[in-house]
Amino acid sequence: MPTFRQQPVDVVIDVRSKVEFWLGHLPDAVCVPVDTLPDGLDKVPGVTTDSKILVYCASGARSARAAQILQAQGYRHVTNAGGLSDARAEFTA
């Protein structure tokens, strides 16, 4: 199971564009661009409001927005990892 800051993570969501995702992403991440949230989570099997969700983007702005969107929709365990380089520093697959 992946971890971020030594805490377990159920799903890792890259909220950047598909092109950005294609250029590099965290292991096991799923691309759900921020503009498609929360409906885009339908493409991620097994995600519930109780799932431990980690979101990240390029610099942290889109992931902050994504975290707000998901929390407003009732997702209780959303962690904003910030930008990809910051996320990589504290992520283990």
Side-chain angles (χ1 to χ4, degrees):
M1 172 177 278
T3 62
F4 181 73
R5 297 183 182 149
Q6 301 176 352
Q7 298 298 314
V9 175
D10 295 319
V11 63
V12 181
I13 301 177
D14 184 326
V15 297
R16 302 175 300 157
S17 71
K18 291 185 185 291
V19 171
E20 290 172 297
F21 181 81
W22 181 79
L23 292 171
H25 55 272
L26 292 178
D28 301 323
V30 177
C31 182
V32 182
V34 68
D35 295 335
T36 68
L37 287 173
D39 296 330
L41 286 183
D42 293 343
K43 300 174 194 166
V44 184
V47 175
T48 69
T49 55
D50 289 323
S51 297
K52 293 173 182 74
I53 301 171
L54 180 71
V55 294
Y56 72 91
C57 63
S59 66
R62 287 177 283 182
S63 60
R65 189 167 137 223
Q68 289 175 341
I69 291 168
L70 294 173
Q71 289 167 341
Q73 292 297 315
Y75 292 89
R76 293 184 280 256
H77 309 287
V78 180
T79 300
N80 176 8
L84 177 57
S85 60
D86 294 332
R88 275 191 177 130
E90 299 189 65
F91 180 81
T92 55

